[in-house]
């Protein structure tokens, strides 16, 4: 059973925090990437291109809808609960405020998606008969996401990244196992796939919420009796941070899911299946890089509090060099082994994924080395900088998808996705260089 310690966590050095956090976040991300890869590869194989395309479209719509209402409460919790570590009433007020926002927005999104599910099915598939698929995908998203990010923020704040990692790995392992057993026993069906996801995504979320509740008790944060008015003059700072974070999420949603919806609007479900499979392969590489993004923000926050400018510069350049080398290695391995693996693991109808994946990975090589820019701006309380960079990237991506997809098909969409991956981080890093060395 996954239970966080009830004892207060000791203060750790930057190095120890980075190594410990990276250890568990890397285990989690690599483990989930492997399990998720096997899961999606299995679905792609057993459902076939068209049904996998329908699955990808329905889940993309759901993820996009929840994404554009996401205030990134995990990062908000990290920033404000660390800053107010000696002011318990403000911490309680923030957690209560965050919970109200989170539950309200996700409930609204879920109800809206359920209402318009016939319209979504008719637009993307050409028949309202598939409305239940879109509605169930919406409900799966709600159960798996509500209160989750705030819980993750509390775990990260108390250096309990291992609890989140173990929860994810356990839930993904059970989800993959149950999916394979049920579909092999009864037969492939999208409703069955989503129903299994509902159970185990909800289970993973429950583990995080339970761990977060125990942290609140340990930290003495009583949210029931808390008053939002206790935020005082800092309330405007909280609002500004959350508004900027929301804008970042809206822009990020263009990267993560709107692309699939655009491809589904112009091309067939089979094409959506190919595009989504290639994107999933690229996402495996991104998941291995992502632990740095998760772990580095609290380190940046503490360095900024101590005004350790030299340490910040050293850390950013070190991360840039390491991630660039890793990204090039991922691209090289993909070029060598994808032509061998895809026909074996999937089947020959997915062969076109090879070229699409390599085109997309160019964006990984260019953008991933600057992944640290996002946590840096969040830690400095300037989410608007990352927001501007993301909005520029989202604009470039949207135009690229709308122009290249209808003209060049899947290859055009893959080039657009590479631009989508790289451009926000490139623009953000340029802004960082300007502030560090020019101003």
């Amino acid at each position: 059973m996954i239970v966080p310690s009830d004892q207060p966590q000791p203060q750790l050095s930057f190095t120890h925090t980075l190594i410990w956090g990276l250890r568990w976040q890397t285990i989690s991300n690599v483990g989930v990437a492997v399990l998720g890869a096997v899961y999606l590869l299995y679905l792609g194989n057993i459902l076939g291109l068209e049904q996998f395309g329908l699955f990808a479209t329905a889940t993309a719509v759901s993820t996009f809808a929840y994404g554009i209402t996401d205030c990134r409460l995990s990062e908000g919790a990290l920033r404000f609960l660390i800053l107010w570590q000696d002011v318990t009433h403000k911490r309680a007020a923030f957690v209560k405020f965050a919970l109200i926002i989170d539950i309200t927005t996700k409930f609204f999104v879920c109800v809206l998606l359920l209402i318009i599910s016939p319209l979504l099915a008719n637009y993307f598939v050409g028949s309202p008969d598939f409305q239940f698929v879109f509605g169930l995908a919406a409900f799966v998203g709600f159960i798996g996401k509500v209160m989750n990010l705030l819980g993750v923020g509390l775990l990260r704040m108390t250096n309990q990244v291992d609890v989140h990692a173990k929860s994810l790995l356990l839930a993904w392992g059970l989800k993959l196992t149950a999916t394979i057993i049920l579909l092999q026993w009864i037969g492939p069906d999208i409703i069955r796939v989503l129903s299994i996801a509902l159970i185990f995504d909800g289970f993973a979320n429950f583990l995080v919420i339970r761990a977060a509740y125990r942290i609140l008790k340990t930290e003495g944060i009583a949210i029931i009796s808390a008053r939002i008015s206790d935020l005082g003059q800092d309330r405007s700072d909280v609002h500004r941070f959350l508004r900027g974070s929301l804008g970042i999420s809206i822009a990020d949603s263009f990267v993560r899911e709107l692309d699939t919806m655009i491809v589904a609007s112009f091309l067939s479900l089979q094409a959506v299946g190919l595009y989504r499979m290639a994107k999933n392969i690229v996402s495996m590489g991104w998941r291995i890089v992502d632990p740095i993004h998760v772990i580095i923000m609290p380190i940046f926050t503490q360095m900024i509090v101590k005004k350790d400018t030299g340490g910040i510069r050293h850390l950013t350049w070190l991360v840039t060099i390491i991630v660039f080398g890793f990204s090039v290695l991922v691209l090289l391995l993909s070029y060598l082994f994808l032509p061998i693996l895809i026909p074996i693991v999937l089947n020959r109808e997915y062969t076109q994924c090879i070229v699409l994946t390599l085109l997309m990975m160019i964006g990984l090589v260019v953008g991933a080395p600057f992944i640290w820019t996002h946590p840096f701006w969040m830690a400095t309380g300037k989410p608007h900088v990352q927001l501007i960079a993301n909005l520029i990237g989202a604009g470039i991506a949207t135009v690229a998808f709308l122009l290249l997809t209808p003209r060049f098909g899947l290859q055009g969409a893959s080039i657009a996705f590479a631009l989508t991956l790289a451009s926000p981080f490139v623009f953000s890093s340029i802004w960082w260089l300007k502030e560090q060395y020019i101003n």
Side-chain angles (χ1 to χ4, degrees), residues 380-416:
T380 57
K382 298 178 180 179
H384 64 278
V385 176
Q386 189 64 49
L387 170 59
I388 293 171
N390 284 24
L391 288 174
I392 294 172
I396 292 172
T398 304
V399 172
F401 273 107
L402 292 174
L403 291 179
L404 298 179
T405 303
R407 185 168 183 179
F408 299 105
L410 285 173
Q411 291 193 9
S414 299
I415 294 170

Side-chain angles (χ1 to χ4, degrees), residues 118 121-131:
N122 192 59
Y123 177 75
F124 288 109
V125 188
S127 170
D129 294 341
F130 294 97
Q131 62 178 293

Side-chain angles (χ1 to χ4, degrees), residues 29 41 179 198 216 275 339 362 375 382 388:
N29 278 35
L41 290 170
T179 300
L198 176 67
L216 291 176
Y275 175 83
I362 296 172
K382 298 178 180 179
I388 293 171

Side-chain angles (χ1 to χ4, degrees), residues 260-274:
T260 302
M261 296 162 63
I262 293 175
V263 173
S265 299
F266 287 112
L267 305 176
S268 65
L269 284 177
Q270 291 91 335
V272 175
L274 285 167

Side-chain angles (χ1 to χ4, degrees), residues 118-326:
L119 299 176
L120 294 171
N122 192 59
Y123 177 75
F124 288 109
V125 188
S127 170
D129 294 341
F130 294 97
Q131 62 178 293
F132 189 72
V133 174
F134 285 86
L136 184 55
F139 192 57
V140 172
F142 176 79
I143 295 299
K145 296 176 186 297
V146 65
M147 295 187 286
N148 183 268
L149 285 178
L150 181 60
V152 172
L154 289 167
L155 290 170
R156 290 167 61 189
M157 180 195 73
T158 53
N159 299 313
Q160 297 184 51
V161 181
D162 59 312
V163 176
H164 185 221
K166 293 171 185 175
S167 301
L168 279 177
L169 289 172
L170 176 61
W172 262 102
L174 293 172
K175 177 179 174 180
L176 173 62
T177 303
T179 300
I180 293 175
I181 291 174
L182 189 63
L183 296 192
Q184 290 295 137
W185 179 35
I186 302 178
D189 181 78
I190 293 178
I191 300 299
R192 293 182 192 125
V193 172
L194 291 173
S195 298
I196 296 168
L198 176 67
I199 295 170
F200 292 105
D201 289 1
F203 175 65
N205 195 18
F206 166 76
L207 293 177
V208 171
I209 293 171
R210 185 185 64 172
Y213 174 73
R214 297 189 180 206
I215 291 171
L216 291 176
K217 289 180 64 178
T218 302
E219 297 281 326
I221 300 175
I223 59 175
I224 295 177
S225 59
R227 297 176 300 177
I228 296 175
S229 58
D230 286 343
L231 290 172
Q233 295 180 345
D234 291 310
R235 188 168 181 172
S236 60
D237 188 26
V238 172
H239 285 177
R240 183 168 56 253
F241 186 92
L242 295 182
R243 284 196 302 269
S245 299
L246 176 63
I248 292 172
S249 292
I250 292 172
D252 278 358
S253 295
F254 283 76
V255 176
R256 295 178 180 177
E257 303 302 334
L258 187 63
D259 59 332
T260 302
M261 296 162 63
I262 293 175
V263 173
S265 299
F266 287 112
L267 305 176
S268 65
L269 284 177
Q270 291 91 335
V272 175
L274 285 167
Y275 175 83
R276 189 60 186 231
M277 187 59 71
K279 181 179 174 181
N280 289 333
I281 295 171
V282 176
S283 297
M284 295 176 209
W286 192 271
R287 271 188 174 276
I288 300 173
V289 173
D290 194 58
I292 293 175
H293 169 276
V294 176
I295 297 302
I296 207 171
M297 183 179 168
I299 299 175
F300 271 142
T301 301
Q302 294 176 49
M303 284 182 168
I304 288 165
V305 169
K306 294 188 175 184
K307 299 182 180 179
D308 185 6
T309 305
I312 291 172
R313 290 180 179 177
H314 174 74
L315 188 58
T316 54
W317 286 112
L318 180 65
V319 170
T320 301
I321 293 169
I322 292 173
V323 177
F324 176 74
F326 173 79

